[in-house]
């Protein structure tokens, strides 16, 4: 079992650019959540996908959007990048239980 | 809304015991998670408490008091590898799904 996987591991972008991050959930998991974790802080919930639809959303602007595919994998898109978007982006998956399993994250740096 | 507080940083000596406190205010309670996160890595699950009391798992124990909105994580016989951030989180369930609300994390530094 590969667990939750994310790509890329690291990414450097400049202000105003757009970025797409990818996540493959743990085998058997159908729900994917995305979190943003700034340095020295706890993760902040961005949104959650289930059955290819956004089910819940945190307090993030519309520049943050996502998608879930029929194989349950997911993408996080961020448009018009700001310096403050620099963070570790974590994907978590679950299969209906309470526990969420986290991927290793994508470290995004915006210059 | 949800509000979770935990200390920012704690330092302890190898072999000692450290207790990380977490207080929460929620608009409904569905249990409390503790995660461990080493620098630059994913959070990994440590415990999930739903009922009051102490749950022990080897060197780590977690306690919950729902009436006080309080939990703690107890790390015994500290090892250098325990140096990490410890995250307290509460799930918020909705008809459409659930999300975790995290505290800011407590960075534990274990010194020889």
């Amino acid at each position: 079992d590969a667990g939750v996987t994310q790509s890329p591991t690291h990414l450097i972008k400049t202000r105003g650019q757009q970025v797409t991050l990818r996540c493959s959930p743990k085998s058997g998991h159908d729900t994917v959540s995305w979190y943003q974790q700034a340095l020295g802080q706890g993760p902040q919930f961005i949104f959650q996908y289930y059955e290819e639809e956004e089910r819940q959303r945190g307090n993030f602007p519309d520049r943050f959007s996502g998608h879930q595919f029929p194989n349950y994998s997911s993408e996080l898109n961020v448009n018009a990048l700001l310096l403050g978007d620099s963070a570790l982006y974590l994907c978590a998956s679950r299969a209906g239980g309470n526990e969420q399993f986290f991927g290793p994250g994508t470290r995004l740096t915006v210059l | 809304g949800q509000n979770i507080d935990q200390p920012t940083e704690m330092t302890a000596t190898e072999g000692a015991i450290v207790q990380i406190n977490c207080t929460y205010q929620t608009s409904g309670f569905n249990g409390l998670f503790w995660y461990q996160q080493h620098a630059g890595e994913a959070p990994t699950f440590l415990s999930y408490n739903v009922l009051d009391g102490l749950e022990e798992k080897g060197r780590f124990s977690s306690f919950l008091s729902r009436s006080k909105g309080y939990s703690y994580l107890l790390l015994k016989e500290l090892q250098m590898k325990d140096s990490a951030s410890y995250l307290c989180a509460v799930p918020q369930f909705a008809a459409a799904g659930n999300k975790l609300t995290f505290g800011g994390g407590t960075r534990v530094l274990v010194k020889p």
Side-chain angles (χ1 to χ4, degrees):
Chain A
D1 184 3
V4 181
T5 60
Q6 293 185 243
S7 63
T9 306
H10 296 87
L11 202 52
I12 299 175
K13 292 285 188 178
T14 57
R15 280 178 297 175
Q17 284 190 310
Q18 178 264 342
V19 69
T20 297
L21 310 181
R22 296 176 176 81
C23 170
S24 291
K26 187 176 169 67
S27 178
H29 287 189
D30 57 7
T31 303
V32 173
S33 300
W34 287 92
Y35 293 83
Q36 180 195 65
Q37 186 176 25
L39 198 61
Q41 298 182 21
Q44 299 291 314
F45 175 77
I46 303 175
F47 42 51
Q48 183 176 83
Y49 278 84
Y50 172 68
E51 291 187 337
E52 302 179 50
E53 290 188 10
E54 183 183 291
R55 298 292 181 159
Q56 266 194 306
R57 189 178 182 90
N59 189 25
F60 279 80
D62 292 344
R63 297 187 298 109
F64 289 76
S65 63
H67 188 79
Q68 186 179 34
F69 299 93
N71 67 353
Y72 307 122
S73 67
S74 177
E75 288 182 349
L76 164 65
N77 301 291
V78 187
N79 294 322
L81 283 167
L82 304 174
L83 294 179
D85 295 332
S86 294
L88 180 68
Y89 288 85
L90 295 165
C91 171
S93 72
R94 70 182 188 97
N98 294 325
E99 184 181 348
Q100 297 192 24
F101 294 80
F102 285 85
T106 294
R107 171 70 64 188
L108 172 65
T109 301
V110 182
L111 301 177
Chain B
Q2 320 264 74
N3 189 43
I4 303 173
D5 289 313
Q6 51 181 129
T8 304
E9 192 170 295
M10 303 180 75
T11 302
T13 305
E14 195 174 13
I17 298 173
V18 69
Q19 178 176 314
I20 306 168
N21 297 324
C22 171
T23 58
Y24 62 88
Q25 293 174 315
T26 61
S27 56
F29 185 71
N30 298 290
L32 186 142
F33 287 93
W34 283 99
Y35 284 86
Q36 179 192 58
Q37 186 179 28
H38 285 99
E41 298 182 9
T44 55
F45 171 83
L46 291 177
S47 66
Y48 176 55
N49 293 65
V50 178
L51 301 176
D52 290 350
L54 184 69
E55 292 193 8
E56 299 185 71
K57 279 187 187 179
R59 296 189 298 113
F60 292 6
S61 302
S62 55
F63 171 84
L64 176 67
S65 170
R66 288 174 294 173
S67 63
K68 296 182 180 178
Y70 168 69
S71 173
Y72 69 72
L73 181 69
L74 194 69
L75 284 61
K76 295 178 279 188
E77 300 170 18
L78 279 172
Q79 301 176 9
M80 298 299 290
K81 67 178 181 180
D82 298 330
S83 291
S85 284
Y86 292 85
L87 299 161
C88 171
V90 294
Q92 180 180 13
F93 294 107
N98 73 338
K99 67 175 186 180
L100 289 174
T101 300
F102 286 87
T106 299
R107 190 169 66 179
V108 172
L109 177 62
V110 180
K111 294 185 173 180

